[in-house]
Amino acid sequence: MLSLHVLIYNEAMVESKYNYYIQNGNDTICLNGISKAVFSVNKSSFDFIKVLLSDVELQQQEEAITKELVRMRFLVEDNEQETNYLLENKRKDANSSLFHLILNPTQDCIFRCWYCYETHKKGEMSKTTLESLKKLIIKVLDREDIDKLMLGWFGGEPLMYFDEIVYPLSVFAKEEAEKRNKGFFCNMTSNGFLLTEEVAKKCTLIGLNTIQVTLDGDEKRHNKTRNMKGQPSFRKIIDNCVGYCLDTSNNRVLLRINYTDDTIRLDFAEILDIIPVGVRAQIEIQFKRVWQTYEKKTDKTPDGLLDNVENLKKKGFHLSCGMDFGFVEGCLCYADRNNYVNLNFDGKVYKCTAVDYNEKNALGYLSENGDIVWEDSIQHDLSLKPYVEDTKCMECNLLPICGGPCFRRKYESVAQNKDFCIKELLDTDVDMFVKQYYNDTLRKIERRRTLANI
Ligand code: SF4
Ligand code: SF4
């Protein structure tokens, strides 16, 4: 078993296969994808390091530099061991002691966004399904291998049934978890329109302190896509998110901005300037391309994406993913975990929350006595080992920052014999990721220095 905290140094170290070297002006940024260690050197130092990484004699002569490169995992004992380390992390995460239950109380919504894959069927979770769900929650909490339960409210629009389903069911789950001394967490994906002050206060009572909300551009474009029978929503959503953040400093909003090649050119730092500075640290912004537009891309990286990322950071917002790559330390998505279920309002179960909720895509159902019955054999087989095992990802040096396929891509690769790798389709590449990570690291060091001098 490989531990990152132990300095391993013997006489035959080899270059890590997860080192990235990116030209940045006259210098080269060097990053290791497992340790996340990053530094920048000039050309002659880089040439020297490159020779040292493959020259055992030079490693022995330059002991201090070699030890530092071992500490940063640029030099490793063997390459198979570092890939196994990533596999082991995936295995552990896939079977972690957290049970994650994503619940769709309805498929209905107050908006009708053009790109939405959901069916907007009228109706909500029935009393019978709710009773079975309570039995499932009890069974999960009674499991010895589970010490935390997370409810994720999804839909449709979950706030349409906040008082009838979301609130009472969350209270039930929270109390049952507390009785057993187990952890309880709660979050929600919502359009934010119905997130009133009263709802925000009740969210605090059930520990629902993270909400993901989506914007579709500036006020005009957003309102064109997201409106309630013509009634605009942009201002109301922003006001509701600000109110939610002001309710308690524990609350977080993940503000997802859906973009196309056209909308990403807008200046989001200016658009979001209406958000008070005091709550910006509670708002994390995530840019996400509207998936139907991937096929229509003309440039690798659309104009405006990188500027928006930088400008929003300067305005005090957190940005979770300006980039498609990132350090993936376990599973890529909640759907990759085995202790995870997405339950639709009609009692059918799914894994990926980005598919059509229909008979064809359902993977099983919730039985009357609260058991999840998985009926899909592909899903069952996928749960037995990490998705990257026995695939080309094992040889790919991007594995630590790509993570391999998510559940859906893996499933489709097996069911439809499709290639799961979407590297070429992404809006950003490894160069951009490494440069941004290096600049962010410098900024953090600078901030720490400033604070130390106060
Ligand atoms: S498409 Fe992949 S990443 Fe997205 S929710 Fe589905 S499984 Fe997760
Ligand atoms: S999905 Fe593609 S880019 Fe990612 S690790 Fe696998 S082969 Fe590499």
Side-chain angles (χ1 to χ4, degrees):
M1 182 45 206
L2 181 149
S3 162
L4 284 183
H5 305 288
V6 179
L7 188 77
I8 309 158
Y9 177 53
N10 65 23
E11 288 174 3
M13 304 301 274
V14 292
E15 182 174 1
S16 163
K17 72 184 209 196
Y18 302 124
N19 291 342
Y20 311 110
Y21 307 114
I22 306 298
Q23 196 70 36
N24 190 30
N26 294 327
D27 297 338
T28 304
I29 302 174
C30 308
L31 167 71
N32 179 269
I34 294 191
S35 69
K36 304 181 196 169
V38 68
F39 59 88
S40 173
V41 284
N42 62 24
K43 185 170 178 338
S44 60
S45 301
F46 177 67
D47 291 344
F48 173 76
I49 288 171
K50 274 301 279 173
V51 174
L52 184 144
L53 287 170
S54 55
D55 184 334
V56 176
E57 257 177 50
L58 188 58
Q59 288 170 17
Q60 284 163 353
Q61 285 163 25
E62 299 289 346
E63 201 177 325
I65 297 175
T66 303
K67 275 193 172 164
E68 196 52 20
L69 289 170
V70 171
R71 189 187 66 78
M72 294 191 288
R73 303 219 53 80
F74 280 80
L75 271 172
V76 293
E77 262 184 316
D78 80 73
N79 296 128
E80 204 182 316
Q81 213 176 35
E82 53 180 355
T83 306
N84 285 340
Y85 170 78
L86 295 173
L87 274 185
E88 189 51 31
N89 279 350
K90 284 189 179 293
R91 256 181 233 119
K92 270 196 215 143
D93 195 16
N95 298 299
S96 84
S97 57
L98 166 82
F99 197 98
H100 191 173
L101 196 48
I102 293 195
L103 303 169
N104 307 346
T106 182
Q107 275 304 324
D108 202 0
C109 185
I110 49 173
F111 299 154
R112 290 288 183 271
C113 308
W114 64 268
Y115 49 73
C116 185
Y117 47 83
E118 287 167 13
T119 48
H120 305 305
K121 268 191 203 148
K122 294 250 174 268
E124 75 277 23
M125 211 170 248
S126 68
K127 288 210 164 53
T128 319
T129 305
L130 279 168
E131 285 314 308
S132 306
L133 177 53
K134 285 183 181 171
K135 289 179 191 160
L136 169 69
I137 288 172
I138 300 278
K139 286 186 180 187
V140 162
L141 288 169
D142 281 341
R143 272 172 56 177
E144 275 183 16
D145 62 327
I146 296 299
D147 58 24
K148 296 179 271 306
L149 172 67
M150 186 191 290
L151 293 191
W153 292 101
F154 197 77
E157 173 49 49
L159 287 180
M160 287 175 80
Y161 293 95
F162 184 79
D163 285 328
E164 298 81 357
I165 299 176
V166 175
Y167 185 72
L169 207 280
S170 302
V171 169
F172 171 82
K174 187 169 182 280
E175 286 176 357
E176 292 300 324
E178 282 165 0
K179 271 188 217 163
R180 292 163 179 79
N181 239 342
K182 302 213 169 173
F184 175 78
F185 309 92
C186 200
N187 57 41
M188 180 184 285
T189 302
S190 159
N191 60 40
F193 194 76
L194 303 173
L195 184 60
T196 60
E197 216 180 304
E198 190 197 337
V199 169
K201 293 217 177 308
K202 283 178 135 177
C203 285
T204 307
L205 298 177
I206 51 174
L208 200 163
N209 48 27
T210 306
I211 295 194
Q212 179 178 315
V213 170
T214 302
L215 292 180
D216 276 316
D218 57 2
E219 189 164 0
K220 197 169 145 214
R221 283 165 222 242
H222 173 93
N223 287 339
K224 200 171 157 211
T225 308
R226 292 180 173 243
N227 58 72
M228 197 168 79
K229 295 184 182 145
Q231 193 187 333
S233 67
F234 185 88
R235 290 271 162 176
K236 197 170 167 68
I237 290 171
I238 296 279
D239 287 350
N240 287 349
C241 288
V242 171
Y244 177 73
C245 290
L246 288 172
D247 197 58
T248 148
S249 59
N250 288 334
N251 284 349
R252 296 276 174 276
V253 172
L254 183 59
L255 191 61
R256 173 170 155 157
I257 300 180
N258 284 343
Y259 70 83
T260 60
D261 283 340
D262 184 31
T263 49
I264 196 62
R265 289 198 197 100
L266 296 165
D267 182 353
F268 282 95
E270 196 190 315
I271 294 165
L272 298 180
D273 215 22
I274 54 172
I275 296 179
V277 176
V279 299
R280 288 183 191 174
Q282 290 168 256
I283 298 180
E284 191 171 309
I285 294 176
Q286 185 181 55
F287 284 105
K288 200 91 186 149
R289 179 180 274 282
V290 174
W291 62 270
Q292 288 94 334
T293 68
Y294 269 109
E295 310 280 302
K296 298 176 193 149
K297 275 176 62 164
T298 45
D299 299 323
K300 170 79 184 158
T301 308
D303 272 357
L305 178 62
L306 300 182
D307 287 344
N308 270 314
V309 168
E310 278 308 304
N311 294 340
L312 283 161
K313 277 184 192 163
K314 284 183 199 149
K315 291 268 181 180
F317 292 100
H318 284 296
L319 269 102
S320 52
C321 306
M323 298 287 138
D324 294 295
F325 291 103
F327 298 105
V328 183
E329 289 173 72
C331 293
L332 194 66
C333 171
Y334 42 69
D336 307 352
R337 299 203 178 100
N338 293 328
N339 291 323
Y340 159 83
V341 178
N342 173 209
L343 177 70
N344 199 22
F345 79 107
D346 56 5
K348 296 268 190 283
V349 299
Y350 297 78
K351 288 214 118 190
C352 172
T353 50
V355 290
D356 278 339
Y357 286 97
N358 60 31
E359 281 290 326
K360 195 175 125 258
N361 290 327
L363 302 172
Y365 63 92
L366 173 66
S367 76
E368 210 181 313
N369 51 7
D371 293 312
I372 298 294
V373 183
W374 295 105
E375 296 178 303
D376 186 276
S377 61
I378 296 180
Q379 186 287 137
H380 172 264
D381 293 349
L382 294 188
S383 69
L384 301 176
K385 59 183 185 183
Y387 302 159
V388 295
E389 209 172 303
D390 304 325
T391 71
K392 59 181 173 181
C393 302
M394 299 292 284
E395 305 308 320
C396 177
N397 87 321
L398 299 180
L399 185 56
I401 57 167
C402 162
C406 64
F407 171 77
R408 181 182 176 178
R409 285 194 276 127
K410 180 73 181 185
Y411 188 98
E412 287 175 354
S413 79
V414 176
Q416 300 162 25
N417 202 17
K418 266 168 79 173
D419 184 2
F420 57 68
C421 182
I422 54 164
K423 183 179 66 174
E424 300 308 327
L425 282 179
L426 301 175
D427 278 1
T428 52
D429 58 20
V430 181
D431 276 39
M432 289 170 193
F433 166 68
V434 172
K435 282 180 188 163
Q436 195 195 49
Y437 177 69
Y438 175 69
N439 288 333
D440 284 350
T441 306
L442 287 186
R443 262 195 289 257
K444 269 187 210 147
I445 294 170
E446 195 52 46
R447 225 175 291 138
R448 250 182 260 139
R449 271 198 200 127
T450 314
L451 286 174
N453 291 333
I454 289 175

